[in-house]
């Protein structure tokens, strides 16, 4: 079978075009083995191949090479040709595929959910043996629409748009039509249009001039294919609304004290009923380390693959035959469902107990079930280490694998023996398999249900993993265990955040083309068509905190370009290393920190270093040591002393780089430190100039290069719609990288990205963005309204354009106006927290405002236990609230 590839691409001297593809003749996707094309004049390149007639299809892509260097390649959406039994020759005319400006519409959020099309084909029998196939990408075609074609000849209805030919869409978002070349006289003039399937009439023409095709006469048995075309539309920007809520916060009559996958399915029904199109959730990975409420933190996963067993829906799992046990769990369900918030420990305890009882009851059927066996086989690369980890965690009563004796270092062979069917541990191992199997089956069913109903599920990808996680145990080469990941001071926390996660060895990850991250993305795509990269700034640089610090102030960015002593002094600041890098405090500040116990603290914890200055004594000279000293002490005096000593430990102007000795990072927020206040006016000015340059200019291009290097292959490896959480201290390079990669930004009215604005201008948001009223790390609207009366007053008068004094409480009317403003923004996605939807209805909103808070970032020991105050069953029947939401969305023009 002969295949001829043709493409028009203008090159300069020394450049050549190559094709790489899915068959050995095209290098089997190895660029080094790709086929070079021949230049045939006028910008046309050609490659002729003889390939086996047994082939059913091939995929391929073009790239440009200059010498030995690959300099430019197509967008990674491959050309695809399917062979049939009737043709012996295929001639392909391709257009170079560039990454489209509307990339979002090519993601699975649209192709599998929002605009998903049935696999309709419109077969036309080509009897002559000469077939012309025309393909076009048209992702912005709604479910009740098709793409049609008409042109200047009978086979294309002679420009009669009412009789235009409908294209097939079984490869959506690509559409195609097969024509009999015997019925065509070249040049063929044609144009595409959108077609209303319900009314069976044309909707609108594509923009631009008519298309013209002028080809040589085809041979009998030859199929000619035109591909790489894009539908030219001038449609209004498409926008939709949605809801964000942690799955654990859902409540229904069927749940067991916590939201689960059965509740998520019910939430799909409510979202669909209220004309919303997207549901955003928090991470759902297993976080079980201590079997206590401390495991409630959803961003501290023990596995990047395993889901948390608490999300299993017990009604969907099955019933217990033992009536006494069944009655026991019914009573526990009533008890836990009656609670206002999630009782994490008891919920997990009794749900696992129920699952274990059910597993013992059905064990023989389960372990011999073909689907279960297939699930275990397909996922053994992560499932086996996960089960072994859970077994050892419970055996040694710690998730700290360094304390697991001979299994402290992961040994694949030993773990394989542990998980063998004849192992003593196997009954427990197979139970962990079972839990993940049930979670997968239930979650996949919910995901399919959401897609069927045109609802997008949006997941959340945490930037880090726990330092005692399975991945840290099994793949330690990827992690820097000598650092702690966190965030510098921002609106969420003035002392920064310390998440305690290990940082990454990015150079190691890069060497295997970021396979670890790609596997994470791939696992997410099992259930989600859209996801949020938590703290996307971590792909530019991460805030790394030394192990001996508890708070986040004395961290530094990694990677970074630390300063030499010479560079510091070039700014006009005389560098005194001991004075600027050793924590110390002036005597005059002690009463400010410790009040009437200052003398006692000075005698007990401080050593004099100069006439007016003191340093921390060796037994308490790090925050880690201080924390150990005061562990478990909750009295007011102990807390004050601990916090004061923490503050002294932060009193430095510079931090030495842990790897590049003799190079230094200015301490973040140093102008708020007491040591800064002691500088002369001249030194303060010099430090300010150095500080501004270091944090806001020095790293811009450096961090941009890091982000492109890391994010480009990751974004290209997934079909999901990618969103980024780009809040906090944002380098100037961030918007440029996100725009070029078409990663959606996050926009929040009360967290403006411009330092010159008090509130974000919602009318000027970027289209490819997510706007929201608040996040899980912030207070919901009604709480925020009461936090700062001066700011609320500004907002009431200047943003809401209301006259007079702002009311003490946010009324339903005002909440509706705030949400309406967000819905009116240009952002493609407006995703509103469920608590803020509730705020628009004075009859239904929760009485206890503070109970709506999900997380307090400044508190590293926060208990994540927020739960809806009404059931989903009642929410589905809340006609007044639901109608308000429908009206707000409709009036905003969102779909």
């Amino acid at each position: 079978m002969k295949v001829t590839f043709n493409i028009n691409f203008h090159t300069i001297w020394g450049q050549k075009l190559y094709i790489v593809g899915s068959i050995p003749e095209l290098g089997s996707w190895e660029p080094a083995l790709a086929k070079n094309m021949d230049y045939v004049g006028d910008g046309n390149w050609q490659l002729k191949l003889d390939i086996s007639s047994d082939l059913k299809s091939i995929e391929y892509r073009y790239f440009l090479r200059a010498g030995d260097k690959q300099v430019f390649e197509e967008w990674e959406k491959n050309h695809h040709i399917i062979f049939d039994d009737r043709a012996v020759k295929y001639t392909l005319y391709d257009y170079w595929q560039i990454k489209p400006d509307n990339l979002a519409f090519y993601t699975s959020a649209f192709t599998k959910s929002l605009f998903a099309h049935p696999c309709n084909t419109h077969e036309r029998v080509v009897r002559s043996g000469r077939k012309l196939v025309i393909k076009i990408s048209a992702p912005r075609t709604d479910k009740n629409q098709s793409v049609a074609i008409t042109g200047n000849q009978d086979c294309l209805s002679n420009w009669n748009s009412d009789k235009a030919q409908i294209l097939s869409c079984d490869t959506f978002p690509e559409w195609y039509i097969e024509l009999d070349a015997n019925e065509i006289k070249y040049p063929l003039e044609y144009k595409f249009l959108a077609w209303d399937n319900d009314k069976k009439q044309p909707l609108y023409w594509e923009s631009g001039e008519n298309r013209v095709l002028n080809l040589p006469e085809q041979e009998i048995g030859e199929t000619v294919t035109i591909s790489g075309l894009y539908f030219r539309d001038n449609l209004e920007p498409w926008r939709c609304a949605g809801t964000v809520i942690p799955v654990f916060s859902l409540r229904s009559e069927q749940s067991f004290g916590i939201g689960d996958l059965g509740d998520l399915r019910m939430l799909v029904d409510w979202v669909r009923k209220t004309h919303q199109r997207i549901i955003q959730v928090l991470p759902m990975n297993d976080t079980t380390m201590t079997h206590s409420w401390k495991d409630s933190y959803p961003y501290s996963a023990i596995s990047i693959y395993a889901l948390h067993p608490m999300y299993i829906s017990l009604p969907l799992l099955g019933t217990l035959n033992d009536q006494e046990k069944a009655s026991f769990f019914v009573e526990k369900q009533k008890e836990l469902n009656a609670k206002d918030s999630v009782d994490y420990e008891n919920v997990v305890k009794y749900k696992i107990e129920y699952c274990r009882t059910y597993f013992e009851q059905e064990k023989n059927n389960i372990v011999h079930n073909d689907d279960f066996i297939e699930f275990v086989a397909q996922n053994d690369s992560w499932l086996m280490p996960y089960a072994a980890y859970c077994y050892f965690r419970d055996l040694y009563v710690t998730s700290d694998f360094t304390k697991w004796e001979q299994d402290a270092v992961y040994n694949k062979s030993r773990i394989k023996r542990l998980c063998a069917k004849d192992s003593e541990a196997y009954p427990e191992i197979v139970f962990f398999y079972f839990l993940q199997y049930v979670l997968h089956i239930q979650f996949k069913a919910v995901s399919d249900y959401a897609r069927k109903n045109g609802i997008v599920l949006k997941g959340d990808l945490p930037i880090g993993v726990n330092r005692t996680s399975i991945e840290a145990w099994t793949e330690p080469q990827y992690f820097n265990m000598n650092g702690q990941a966190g965030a510098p001071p921002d609106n969420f926390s003035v002392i920064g955040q310390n998440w305690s996660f290990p940082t990454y060895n990015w150079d190691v990850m890069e060497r295997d083309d970021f396979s670890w991250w790609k596997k994470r993305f791939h696992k997410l795509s099992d259930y989600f068509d859209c996801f949020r990269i938590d703290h996307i700034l971590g792909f530019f640089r991460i805030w790394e905190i030394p192990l001996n610090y508890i708070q986040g102030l004395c961290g530094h960015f990694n990677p970074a370009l630390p300063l030499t002593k010479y560079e510091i002094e070039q700014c006009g600041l005389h560098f005194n290393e001991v004075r600027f890098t050793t924590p110390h405090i002036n005597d005059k500040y002690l009463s400010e920190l410790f009040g009437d116990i200052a003398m006692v603290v000075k005698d007990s914890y401080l050593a004099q270093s100069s006439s007016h200055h003191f340093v921390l004594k060796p037994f308490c000279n790090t925050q880690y040591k201080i924390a150990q000293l005061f562990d478990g002490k909750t009295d007011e005096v102990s807390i004050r002393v601990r916090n004061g000593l923490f503050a002294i430990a932060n009193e430095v102007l510079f931090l030495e780089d842990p790897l590049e000795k003799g190079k230094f990072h200015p301490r973040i927020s140093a102008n708020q430190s007491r040591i800064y206040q002691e500088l002369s006016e001249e030194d303060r000015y010099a430090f300010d100039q150095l500080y501004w340059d270091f944090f806001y200019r020095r790293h811009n291009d450096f961090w941009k290069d890091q982000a492109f290097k890391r994010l480009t292959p990751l974004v290209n490896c997934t079909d999901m719609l990618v969103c980024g959480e780009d809040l906090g201290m944002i380098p100037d390079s961030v918007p440029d990288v996100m725009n070029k990669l078409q990663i959606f930004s996050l926009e929040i009215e009360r967290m403006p990205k411009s330092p010159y604005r008090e509130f974000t201008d919602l009318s000027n948001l970027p289209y490819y963005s997510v706007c929201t009223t608040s996040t899980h790390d912030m207070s919901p609207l009604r709480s925020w309204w009461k936090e700062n009366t001066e700011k609320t007053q500004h907002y009431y008068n200047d943003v809401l354009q209301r006259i007079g004094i702002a009311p003490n409480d946010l009324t339903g009317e005002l909440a509706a106006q705030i949400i309406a403003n967000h819905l009116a923004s240009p952002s493609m996605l407006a995703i509103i927290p469920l608590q803020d939807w509730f705020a628009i209805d004075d009859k239904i909103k929760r009485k206890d405002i503070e109970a709506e808070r999900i997380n307090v970032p400044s508190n590293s020991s926060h208990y994540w236990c927020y739960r809806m105050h009404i059931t989903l069953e009642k929410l589905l029947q809340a006609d007044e609230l639901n109608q308000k939401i429908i009206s707000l969305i409709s009036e905003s023009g969102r779909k």
Side-chain angles (χ1 to χ4, degrees):
M1 182 166 58
K2 296 183 181 298
V3 181
T4 303
F5 301 84
N6 297 276
I7 191 167
N8 185 276
F9 191 90
H10 291 280
T11 58
I12 61 175
W13 188 87
Q15 294 179 338
K16 281 192 172 184
L17 282 186
Y18 286 75
I19 307 180
V20 66
S22 59
I23 58 175
E25 291 86 346
L26 293 176
S28 298
W29 296 120
E30 285 291 336
L33 302 176
K35 287 287 185 182
N36 64 296
M37 304 184 74
D38 296 318
Y39 184 67
V40 294
D42 295 328
N44 295 309
W45 294 78
Q46 189 177 84
L47 172 66
K48 294 183 178 182
L49 287 181
D50 284 319
I51 61 176
S52 170
S53 57
D54 294 332
L55 276 175
K56 300 300 181 185
S57 67
I58 59 173
E59 290 187 47
Y60 59 97
R61 196 163 63 245
Y62 296 92
F63 67 88
L64 183 69
R65 181 180 285 169
D68 294 330
K69 187 178 180 183
Q70 184 174 325
V71 294
F72 188 54
E73 67 176 338
E74 285 190 290
W75 174 40
E76 292 187 357
K77 291 294 182 183
N78 304 326
H79 298 273
H80 187 209
I81 183 73
I82 298 174
F83 303 117
D84 59 42
D85 297 331
R86 294 184 289 277
V88 295
K89 181 179 180 181
Y90 288 85
T91 305
L92 315 175
Y93 294 93
D94 295 323
Y95 289 82
W96 185 277
Q97 296 192 126
I98 61 172
K99 183 177 289 188
D101 292 335
N102 61 345
L103 181 64
F105 293 100
Y106 288 86
T107 64
S108 60
F110 287 89
T111 61
K112 291 184 179 179
S113 181
L114 295 169
F115 290 172
H117 279 68
C119 293
N120 290 339
T121 58
H122 298 272
E123 292 191 20
R124 295 167 179 84
V125 178
V126 178
R127 295 186 175 86
S128 70
R130 298 185 178 110
K131 183 162 65 176
L132 173 66
V133 182
I134 301 177
K135 299 180 178 181
I136 185 168
S137 290
R140 275 209 63 179
T141 313
D142 215 337
K143 291 185 176 183
N144 65 334
Q145 299 171 3
S146 292
V147 174
I149 186 173
T150 186
N152 65 348
Q153 297 178 31
D154 289 344
C155 64
L156 292 181
S157 311
N158 279 313
W159 294 118
N160 185 344
S161 59
D162 291 329
K163 294 183 179 179
Q165 304 293 308
I166 309 298
L167 277 66
S168 300
C169 69
D170 52 308
T171 54
F172 183 77
E174 188 175 68
W175 301 72
Y176 67 91
I177 188 169
E178 298 178 347
L179 300 172
D180 190 334
N182 268 11
E183 299 175 2
I184 299 172
K185 291 183 180 179
Y186 293 107
L188 174 66
E189 197 170 345
Y190 65 100
K191 204 167 188 181
F192 297 101
L193 60 148
W195 183 268
D196 189 318
N197 294 332
D198 297 331
K199 297 180 180 178
K200 301 190 184 309
Q201 64 184 31
L203 276 170
Y204 55 87
W205 292 87
E206 67 170 337
S207 62
E209 300 293 324
N210 295 340
R211 301 176 186 263
V212 178
L213 193 59
N214 201 355
L215 298 176
E217 185 177 347
Q218 292 175 222
E219 301 174 11
I220 295 176
E222 180 182 10
T223 292
V224 172
T225 299
I226 313 297
S227 75
L229 301 175
Y230 293 88
F231 192 94
R232 306 180 302 234
D233 66 64
N234 282 326
L235 299 174
E236 289 292 317
W238 185 93
R239 300 174 304 137
C240 74
T243 291
V244 54
I245 185 73
V247 173
F248 63 75
S249 298
L250 299 175
R251 177 194 290 264
S252 77
E253 295 170 6
Q254 297 297 311
S255 54
F256 201 94
I258 195 168
D260 57 36
L261 289 163
D263 297 335
L264 183 57
R265 181 185 175 105
M266 205 179 303
L267 185 65
V268 170
D269 293 333
W270 176 73
V271 164
R272 184 170 182 264
K273 181 173 184 175
T274 50
H275 299 187
Q276 300 179 66
R277 305 300 296 273
I278 188 165
I279 295 171
Q280 178 179 327
V281 299
L282 268 54
M284 297 174 64
N285 295 85
D286 195 352
T287 57
T288 309
M289 290 176 288
T290 65
H291 295 292
S292 72
W293 67 267
K294 293 181 180 180
D295 300 340
S296 67
Y297 180 30
Y299 287 88
S300 186
I302 63 167
S303 169
I304 61 174
Y305 306 106
L307 297 167
H308 202 305
M310 70 183 182
Y311 292 117
I312 291 175
S313 168
L314 299 185
L316 293 177
L317 176 63
T319 56
L320 301 181
N321 295 336
D322 187 317
Q323 291 304 306
E324 184 177 344
K325 289 182 178 178
S327 298
F328 170 81
F329 286 111
V330 167
E331 290 305 310
K332 284 297 173 187
Q333 180 186 34
K334 291 178 182 176
E335 177 187 322
L336 293 168
N337 271 351
K339 297 193 175 188
D340 289 334
S341 58
V342 176
D343 181 349
Y344 182 90
E345 290 183 18
N346 282 314
V347 161
V348 174
K349 173 184 174 182
Y350 290 114
K351 288 195 82 166
I352 293 294
E353 191 176 317
Y354 185 103
C355 290
R356 194 178 289 278
T357 305
Y358 180 82
F359 178 69
E360 291 303 320
Q361 173 185 300
E362 304 291 335
K363 186 174 182 177
N364 288 334
N365 294 329
I366 293 166
V367 298
H368 296 105
N369 180 282
D370 289 342
D371 288 342
F372 175 76
I373 294 169
E374 183 180 2
F375 171 79
V376 173
Q378 288 181 348
N379 296 277
D380 71 321
S381 62
W382 66 265
L383 190 59
M384 193 179 295
Y386 167 75
Y389 174 97
C390 294
Y391 175 79
F392 287 135
R393 174 199 63 205
D394 296 346
L395 176 68
Y396 291 104
V397 198
T398 179
S399 64
D400 184 354
F401 49 81
T402 64
K403 299 177 181 178
W404 291 352
E405 299 177 358
Q406 58 187 336
D407 288 295
V409 176
Y410 179 74
N411 183 303
K412 190 173 182 179
S413 298
R414 281 182 53 79
I415 297 307
K416 197 169 184 179
R417 289 195 296 273
L418 178 81
C419 297
K421 291 184 179 180
D422 58 355
S423 163
E424 289 184 8
Y426 187 71
E428 195 68 8
I429 295 294
V430 76
F431 175 64
F432 293 122
Y433 289 172
F434 163 72
L435 293 176
Q436 291 304 312
Y437 168 71
V438 172
L439 286 159
H440 174 72
I441 294 300
Q442 292 190 0
F443 206 166
K444 196 73 176 67
V446 175
S447 179
D448 291 343
Y449 182 71
R451 286 171 178 153
K452 181 181 177 182
N453 284 277
I455 305 300
V456 174
L457 294 185
K458 180 183 178 184
D460 198 341
L461 183 84
I463 187 64
V465 297
N466 192 279
R467 64 177 47 249
T468 62
S469 67
I470 294 157
E471 283 69 40
W473 178 46
T474 60
E475 301 173 287
Q477 70 274 18
Y478 291 134
F479 303 97
N480 170 29
M481 303 300 283
N482 294 319
Q484 305 175 94
D490 56 21
N491 288 3
F492 295 128
S493 175
V494 295
I495 58 170
Q497 297 176 55
N498 183 352
W499 305 323
S500 300
F501 307 144
T503 54
Y504 293 119
N505 292 327
W506 282 105
D507 55 337
V508 177
M509 291 179 159
E510 186 180 358
R511 285 200 287 270
D512 66 7
D513 198 25
F514 305 103
S515 63
W516 188 82
W517 286 98
K518 290 178 179 179
K519 287 184 286 187
R520 291 188 77 181
F521 282 28
H522 179 73
K523 183 59 178 174
L524 273 178
S525 69
D526 283 348
Y527 315 113
F528 300 105
D529 289 315
C530 176
F531 71 102
R532 163 191 179 269
I533 299 177
D534 167 54
H535 195 66
I536 197 171
L537 302 180
F539 285 87
F540 292 75
R541 77 294 184 274
I542 198 70
W543 188 246
E544 185 172 289
I545 304 159
L547 290 178
N548 55 9
Y549 277 91
I550 303 299
Q551 297 173 335
L553 272 179
C554 285
H556 66 277
F557 286 122
N558 183 10
L561 304 170
L563 299 162
T564 63
K565 295 178 184 178
Y566 175 77
E567 287 178 300
I568 294 171
E569 294 189 339
Q570 282 293 102
C571 293
L573 181 68
H574 176 67
F575 186 72
N576 184 324
E577 184 174 342
V578 174
R579 179 187 172 204
F580 288 165
T581 65
T582 304
H584 63 277
I585 191 77
N586 192 305
D587 189 32
K588 66 182 179 180
Y589 296 120
L590 292 179
S591 58
E592 176 186 321
L593 286 171
F594 302 106
D596 56 3
I597 58 171
M599 290 300 295
V600 175
V601 171
K602 184 162 62 173
D603 292 341
S604 303
Y605 300 99
L606 304 179
Q608 193 155 10
S609 59
S610 72
S611 57
H612 296 291
H613 292 90
F614 293 83
V615 294
L616 296 163
K617 288 182 177 179
F619 75 91
C620 63
N621 62 358
T622 70
Q623 288 188 342
Y624 179 80
K625 291 179 181 178
I626 296 165
Q628 293 294 105
L629 283 175
F630 291 90
D631 186 35
K633 297 180 180 180
T634 58
D635 61 282
E636 186 178 339
V637 172
S638 294
I639 292 172
R640 182 166 193 176
V641 173
R642 182 199 63 190
N643 291 345
L645 297 177
F646 274 180
I648 294 174
N650 288 327
E651 283 294 321
V652 293
L653 280 184
F654 291 91
L655 300 145
E656 187 173 28
D657 189 89
L659 299 179
E660 297 188 74
K661 299 301 181 183
K663 292 188 177 182
F664 301 88
H665 303 256
R667 203 212 81 180
I668 197 81
S669 303
N671 62 352
Q672 297 174 29
S673 69
R674 295 167 180 86
I675 185 174
Y676 174 86
Q677 301 305 320
E678 292 189 75
L679 295 176
S680 68
E681 185 176 343
E682 188 178 79
D683 280 348
R684 280 204 298 268
Y685 177 81
F687 182 83
D688 290 345
Q689 300 307 304
L690 175 150
Y691 183 96
W692 183 91
D693 180 78
F694 186 87
F695 285 111
Y696 297 103
R697 187 202 62 82
R698 183 180 178 91
H699 295 90
N700 279 343
D701 291 338
F702 177 67
W703 285 337
K704 180 187 289 189
D705 291 342
Q706 300 297 319
F708 272 127
K709 183 168 58 177
R710 298 166 182 177
L711 284 171
T712 301
L714 298 180
V715 171
N716 288 341
C717 82
T718 183
D719 288 331
M720 292 182 288
L721 179 61
V722 184
C723 304
E725 183 266 293
D726 54 335
L727 304 177
M729 189 176 179
I730 307 170
D732 288 345
S733 55
V734 171
D736 186 41
V737 171
M738 293 180 69
N739 289 338
K740 286 182 178 175
L741 296 179
Q742 295 195 39
I743 299 172
F744 282 35
S745 63
L746 179 61
E747 309 293 339
I748 300 175
E749 189 175 38
R750 62 178 117 149
M751 286 189 69
K753 292 175 179 175
S754 167
Y756 307 108
R757 297 191 63 93
E758 186 176 16
F759 302 102
T760 301
D761 179 7
L762 294 179
S763 66
N764 199 34
L765 297 183
Y767 175 54
Y768 293 116
S769 69
V770 179
C771 79
T772 185
T773 49
S774 55
T775 75
H776 61 271
D777 283 329
M778 302 165 68
S779 50
L781 278 177
R782 291 196 299 148
S783 297
W784 170 76
W785 189 266
K786 300 174 77 69
E787 285 175 358
N788 185 326
T789 55
E790 183 180 355
K791 194 161 191 168
T792 299
Q793 188 64 52
H794 292 171
Y795 185 80
Y796 183 75
N797 298 139
D798 301 338
V799 178
L800 299 183
Q801 297 290 296
R802 300 278 185 139
I803 299 172
I805 304 299
N808 291 329
D809 295 309
L810 181 70
T811 64
E813 179 195 1
L814 289 172
Q817 183 182 351
I818 293 171
I819 290 177
N821 290 346
H822 284 74
L823 294 174
S825 75
S827 298
M828 179 189 283
L829 307 178
I831 305 180
I832 308 299
L834 187 60
Q835 305 97 303
D836 290 348
W837 280 125
F838 287 153
I840 70 174
D841 191 321
D842 290 326
K843 296 178 183 175
I844 209 168
K845 64 189 181 186
R846 196 175 200 141
K847 291 181 180 178
D848 183 0
I849 295 177
E850 295 308 312
E852 293 185 325
R853 186 76 188 251
I854 295 174
N855 181 39
V856 180
S858 58
N859 178 7
S860 60
S861 300
H862 181 74
Y863 188 1
W864 295 62
C865 59
Y866 165 69
R867 199 164 176 228
M868 291 170 60
H869 65 293
I870 63 170
T871 64
L872 285 160
E873 289 88 351
K874 290 182 179 177
L875 182 58
L876 280 162
Q877 299 302 316
D879 294 338
E880 191 172 337
L881 169 65
N882 294 338
Q883 190 54 54
K884 285 181 181 179
I885 294 172
I886 292 170
S887 297
L888 285 169
I889 293 172
S890 175
E891 290 164 8
S892 72
R894 293 183 180 267
K895 303 295 185 182

